[in-house]
Amino acid sequence: GLDGFVLEGEPAGGRAAGEGARPTVVLPKAAIPPGVRVFGEGDAVQATPTSEPWIEFNSWLVGLLRARAAEPAWLGYTLESPSLADYTRAIADAAAAGGHWIVAPDDALVSGLAAGKPEAQRLWRRIAGVSRFFEERAAWRQFVPVGPLGILPAETGAAEENFNLIARRRIPYRLLSRAALAGPGLAGFSAVLATGCKLGDAEQALLSKFAQDGGLAVVGPGWGGSAAKDKPVEVKQTGKGRIAVYEQEPDSESLSKDLLHYMGKDNLGIRLFHAPSVLPVILESRDRQQLLVQMVNYATRPADAVMIRVAGEYRGARLYSLDGAPVALELERSERSTEVT
């Protein structure tokens, strides 16, 4: 007689008993409170002019869960002494990728609401307003990922960490199935990541053709004709494209840096400027007529002059924010791209 049930972590055997008959919510253990940490020298945490923001976020995880199963993705974690900005960031971090954060009021808010304190009631109404903003735009959940990089899920190594760090480098990507290697499945991609995959002869032939036609294939040590022994990765020219072969399975940090270098920032389809603490979730409508760029600022300091450069030509742009009505933005067009600030 249950309406549904919640599991923490992956169910044994990969599926939960009763799944399909009742809704199942799996709470991934990898979910964490989102925000920015700035690392200085050693183990100290400090802000310095040369420090780069390290962003903790979950939108990559929500996107991965939704790509694996077309079901709602819920995140369950608590915040420590949260402000309104912390609650807002947690809701937006999951919602931008089409998921949900299970709102967890801290003890101070719960006791304040129980005592009828006006400040607690005001805070709760603001939190509810943030959730309502995304629920009123539930149609955005039907938009699909867009990006020039296709990723085959790795069978070995740090598969999920690859998605995490590639998203942190603002490389738009889409999840690829093995079946997508055949036929027109690679149309629209400029690069395919297949490290950690045991590729058959037919799959290797398809990726080789993809590279010969002008694409970039990034593969691991199982590739025929391995990398040179004196360097961790060898980039080989083949036809109009390239194949990057790693001698050993690369760590996620090195792999994400290499991908950005091989692909080039100007070939990612979309770039953000003046926003080091902002991560985008980039989606498009199924008819490919609308591009949706959801930007979450993971720092407490506002990002108030963000510029977006998108490949292609667009007729208009509209900004939706948590405060106020949508605003039409001016576009600047060039031969190959559209810019909006």
Side-chain angles (χ1 to χ4, degrees):
L2 297 176
D3 293 324
F5 55 93
V6 174
L7 303 173
E8 293 191 5
E10 295 294 332
R15 296 189 68 83
E19 190 171 350
R22 294 286 185 267
T24 305
V25 176
V26 177
L27 304 183
K29 293 181 179 180
I32 53 176
V36 164
R37 292 187 296 163
V38 182
F39 291 91
E41 296 293 327
D43 294 329
V45 179
Q46 57 185 5
T48 68
T50 57
S51 292
E52 292 186 359
W54 179 268
I55 299 175
E56 304 280 17
F57 69 115
N58 300 295
S59 58
W60 69 271
L61 179 59
V62 172
L64 190 59
L65 290 171
R66 296 193 70 210
R68 288 174 173 171
E71 298 176 354
W74 293 80
L75 305 182
Y77 57 83
T78 58
L79 304 172
E80 184 177 351
S81 302
S83 64
L84 173 61
D86 296 322
Y87 282 116
T88 300
R89 191 178 300 112
I91 295 170
D93 171 60
H100 311 270
W101 174 57
I102 302 173
V103 178
D106 68 310
D107 291 344
L109 177 55
V110 170
S111 61
L113 290 172
K117 293 183 178 180
E119 61 271 21
Q121 294 173 344
R122 284 194 294 269
L123 176 57
W124 183 247
R125 285 194 292 269
R126 293 291 299 275
I127 294 170
V130 176
S131 293
R132 185 165 57 251
F133 172 87
F134 290 100
E135 290 305 313
E136 289 174 348
R137 294 160 180 82
W140 288 353
R141 297 178 196 143
Q142 303 305 313
F143 283 49
V144 295
V146 61
L149 173 65
I151 302 180
L152 284 173
E155 301 158 353
T156 59
E160 291 195 348
E161 190 64 9
N162 289 345
F163 290 100
N164 183 352
L165 294 182
I166 290 170
R168 185 175 282 128
R169 303 230 177 249
R170 300 173 180 83
I171 302 175
Y173 64 83
R174 290 173 275 171
L175 197 65
L176 272 175
S177 66
R178 303 296 279 264
L181 289 179
L186 297 182
F189 291 98
S190 61
V192 172
L193 175 63
T195 57
C197 299
K198 297 177 181 178
L199 300 171
D201 293 341
E203 292 173 323
Q204 290 200 28
L206 289 167
L207 279 180
S208 293
K209 185 179 185 307
F210 170 75
Q212 290 168 2
D213 290 341
L216 166 69
V218 182
V219 297
W223 187 262
S226 60
K229 300 299 182 182
D230 58 341
K231 48 188 175 182
V233 59
E234 182 178 9
V235 181
K236 306 174 181 180
Q237 191 73 31
T238 175
K240 299 178 182 178
R242 296 164 294 163
I243 299 178
V245 184
Y246 283 88
E247 181 186 0
Q248 298 180 349
E249 290 296 343
D251 64 90
S252 300
E253 178 71 16
S254 299
L255 178 62
S256 63
K257 287 182 178 179
D258 290 346
L259 277 172
L260 191 60
H261 172 68
Y262 297 147
M263 296 181 67
K265 291 183 178 180
D266 291 331
N267 299 317
L268 300 181
I270 181 169
R271 290 187 65 188
L272 266 62
F273 298 88
H274 319 305
S277 61
V278 174
L279 290 181
V281 176
I282 304 160
L283 308 168
E284 68 177 359
S285 58
R286 293 184 183 274
D287 62 6
R288 306 187 69 180
Q289 296 301 303
Q290 292 180 304
L291 186 71
L292 176 62
V293 183
Q294 297 186 87
M295 296 177 288
V296 180
N297 183 12
Y298 290 88
T300 54
R301 182 176 179 177
D304 54 5
V306 181
M307 187 185 81
I308 304 174
R309 179 182 297 156
V310 185
E313 184 175 341
Y314 290 85
R315 293 195 303 267
R318 189 174 294 268
L319 173 66
Y320 294 82
S321 64
L322 296 176
D323 300 313
V327 178
L329 302 176
E330 293 185 5
L331 300 179
E332 292 188 19
R333 298 181 179 88
S334 63
E335 185 178 350
R336 299 179 55 191
S337 64
T338 302
E339 291 184 359
V340 60
T341 299

